[in-house]
Amino acid sequence: MNFDRILIRYGEMALKGKKRNHFESILQRNLKTKLKNFPNTHIKKTRDRMYVLLNGEDPSQVMEKCREVFGIHSMSYAIRVEKNEEELKSAVLLAFEEADGARSFKISAKRSDKNFPINSQDLNPLLGGYVLKNTDGVTVDVHYPDVEIKVDIRTDAAYVTAQDYPGAGGLPVGTTGKSLLLLSGGIDSPVSGYLTMKRGVEIDAIHFHSPPYTSERAKQKVIDLAGELSKFGHKINIHVVPFTAIQQKIQREMPEGYSMTIMRRMMMRISEKLARKEGILSLTTGESLGQVASQTMESMNAINEVTNYPIIRPLVSMDKLEIITIARKIGTYDISIRPYEDCCTVFVPQAPKTKPTREKSTYYESNSDFTNDIQKALDETAVIHVKENQSADQIENDFDELL
Ligand code: ATP
Ligand code: MG
């Protein structure tokens, strides 16, 4: 006997009517996409939950995949059995044994099929007794059990549900719009993308690339990072902006102390224009207040002047260690710490101004005209489509063709 389904609960969607239907159908779609490599699975929606019917697929492998789907509050293995004592007993024991290391349990039986001869008060001790008889040193604890096993006797069959596992939380990706993530090769921006996706936001990425100052390795990092992020949102388009000419012009024509601020302002201008073109309504960055020179309050103020687009900064109040913890959890950390040349570090002076002003930034920029350079960078922007489960070689080839 083995579990034949996974019960999916979506707690946070305390929504009503049409909106709820919309959320549920996107969650169902996301689950389906996620389980593409488990072709026998089928997703069944009931009134306020979903089941992944396994049809022979491996329960734990499927659950592992489901953990990456936002919008799921918790999950449990479950099994449908015939309404007879023997089947119920075996199923309950299976559910107990699945809860690794559990020393106590509780059975919660419910009988909506009143024709079933045993009522729920009698079922609890009957099935509980069977678990006790077949285990060692295990007790029943009705108040604080290690695992609660639910038994539901319905008209069509009986359902036994094992312990709860936490899901990824958040909202289904695709329910709250799209944002353009400024994705560098660093630790922060991928985490930022992940947290934005957690709130149901679909992500496109923009990366500023400065060949030959930044190398193949830098390029590969961004592809690999987007690959990891695509686990949480299926596919990510990376818009790769050729940024060398603008950076060289900044280096030539702008005062050294302001080159970083002005470079960031250029990034913001280009990102906003690209977002507008793509119908994307916000930008997301990995900025964290006070972390580096570009992230002082003064810097943020000077950089932000050039756009009135909403900027999502999920990391703004986080400590580096908190960010690293998430990066490790989502699998981006090891990619981010690979050595590489960042377009910013190559061009940025040793001591950038930590207190730039809007007035000076605007004044220095007015001495040169960047309009054509910005337009050219946008015109020459290439798009790479990164999908979950896509082979790295395939993406690599697509990329080489584009650049
Ligand atoms: P990260 O770890 O994300 O690189 P950081 O701590 O290095 O961040 P900065 O270098 O100040 O911080 O960059 C701030 C933000 O600007 C980044 O989080 C990212 O969103 C964006 N950014 C920086 N460089 C690039 C780039 N080459 N392409 C796209 N976005 C970038
Ligand atoms: Mg960086």
Side-chain angles (χ1 to χ4, degrees):
M1 185 178 260
N2 203 358
F3 299 105
D4 69 347
R5 64 197 59 212
I6 292 170
L7 165 62
I8 306 279
R9 304 180 195 85
Y10 32 94
E12 194 179 337
M13 290 197 228
L15 298 159
K16 294 195 183 73
K18 265 193 192 152
K19 193 131 183 103
R20 188 180 178 100
N21 289 341
H22 175 65
F23 272 55
E24 286 175 337
S25 58
I26 289 184
L27 177 59
Q28 194 168 4
R29 181 200 69 189
N30 293 354
L31 269 167
K32 208 171 154 183
T33 313
K34 172 59 76 178
L35 298 175
K36 223 167 69 188
N37 291 345
F38 298 90
N40 296 321
T41 55
H42 177 76
I43 293 140
K44 190 174 127 185
K45 198 168 89 58
T46 63
R47 206 167 44 87
D48 56 356
R49 43 186 57 186
M50 278 176 210
Y51 290 94
V52 178
L53 304 180
L54 295 166
N55 296 314
E57 302 284 5
D58 182 76
S60 61
Q61 283 178 10
V62 172
M63 172 130 14
E64 208 46 52
K65 282 279 160 198
C66 293
R67 291 172 95 95
E68 294 167 352
V69 178
F70 287 127
I72 298 177
H73 178 69
S74 73
M75 292 178 284
S76 304
Y77 295 110
I79 180 168
R80 176 187 200 264
V81 290
E82 294 298 320
K83 286 184 285 183
N84 66 53
E85 226 181 285
E86 289 321 302
E87 290 266 297
L88 281 168
K89 282 178 175 169
S90 307
V92 166
L93 188 60
L94 173 75
F96 176 77
E97 283 170 346
E98 191 279 318
D100 209 17
R103 305 312 299 152
S104 65
F105 71 97
K106 167 190 182 178
I107 309 254
S108 305
K110 195 169 81 184
R111 184 183 60 145
S112 48
D113 173 15
K114 300 297 174 198
N115 292 325
F116 186 70
I118 315 168
N119 69 29
S120 39
Q121 280 88 336
D122 294 339
L123 262 176
N124 291 335
L126 177 80
L127 300 175
Y130 184 77
V131 174
L132 291 174
K133 214 173 82 187
N134 287 281
T135 50
D136 273 331
V138 170
T139 56
V140 172
D141 183 340
V142 292
H143 299 295
Y144 303 104
D146 288 343
V147 50
E148 180 181 0
I149 301 161
K150 298 191 188 82
V151 177
D152 191 2
I153 311 286
R154 289 194 227 146
T155 342
D156 62 320
Y159 296 83
V160 174
T161 307
Q163 71 168 326
D164 291 9
Y165 289 99
L171 301 169
V173 171
T175 54
T176 47
K178 200 169 191 180
S179 190
L180 184 64
L181 170 68
L182 280 77
L183 183 62
S184 68
I187 294 170
D188 301 334
S189 40
V191 173
S192 199
Y194 164 82
L195 292 172
T196 304
M197 290 162 105
K198 186 171 181 198
R199 296 309 302 168
V201 180
E202 209 180 315
I203 290 287
D204 257 22
I206 181 168
H207 177 69
F208 295 89
H209 189 48
S210 306
Y213 302 98
T214 55
S215 71
E216 292 287 300
R217 285 178 305 174
K219 170 194 93 176
Q220 190 57 46
K221 270 184 101 169
V222 175
I223 297 175
D224 291 349
L225 288 170
E228 289 301 314
L229 288 179
S230 70
K231 281 198 234 157
F232 304 99
H234 181 49
K235 73 168 200 283
I236 292 183
N237 302 320
I238 315 175
H239 304 264
V240 183
V241 183
F243 203 47
T244 317
I246 290 178
Q247 285 199 301
Q248 287 170 329
K249 182 159 169 171
I250 292 173
Q251 205 182 25
R252 268 196 323 268
E253 298 177 19
M254 301 291 115
E256 190 175 287
Y258 266 75
S259 62
M260 190 208 44
T261 307
I262 290 169
M263 179 192 71
R264 293 270 182 231
R265 284 161 63 102
M266 293 303 162
M267 283 188 181
M268 284 298 166
R269 290 185 174 103
I270 293 172
S271 299
E272 182 192 314
K273 281 192 197 309
L274 189 110
R276 277 185 196 281
K277 196 177 100 203
E278 297 288 323
I280 298 172
L281 302 184
S282 70
L283 307 178
T284 297
T285 72
E287 290 163 294
S288 173
L289 197 54
Q291 210 188 74
V292 288
S294 63
Q295 294 167 21
T296 60
M297 195 68 86
E298 289 80 4
S299 270
M300 278 196 188
N301 183 280
I303 293 165
N304 219 147
E305 183 184 24
V306 303
T307 176
N308 63 9
Y309 241 53
I311 301 181
I312 302 175
R313 296 182 178 90
L315 309 186
V316 77
S317 67
M318 281 193 191
D319 297 345
K320 194 75 187 184
L321 281 178
E322 293 174 279
I323 299 169
I324 288 175
T325 303
I326 302 175
R328 285 190 198 279
K329 188 181 88 179
I330 64 174
T332 55
Y333 184 76
D334 288 338
I335 303 172
S336 293
I337 58 169
R338 284 185 212 155
Y340 81 115
E341 329 65 28
D342 185 340
C343 72
C344 312
T345 39
V346 172
F347 286 93
V348 158
Q350 290 296 314
K353 272 249 178 308
T354 53
K355 294 188 174 178
T357 66
R358 290 183 169 201
E359 293 69 25
K360 284 191 177 162
S361 306
T362 308
Y363 168 72
Y364 293 136
E365 284 173 0
S366 70
N367 293 332
S368 298
D369 185 1
F370 284 92
T371 323
N372 292 337
D373 307 275
I374 289 177
Q375 192 51 50
K376 189 161 185 284
L378 280 164
D379 291 343
E380 290 172 6
T381 293
V383 190
I384 314 167
H385 308 278
V386 178
K387 263 191 184 168
E388 194 190 3
N389 300 326
Q390 194 176 3
S391 84
D393 290 350
Q394 185 55 50
I395 300 168
E396 179 84 29
N397 289 342
D398 291 354
F399 194 94
D400 287 339
E401 268 166 37
L402 279 163
L403 290 183

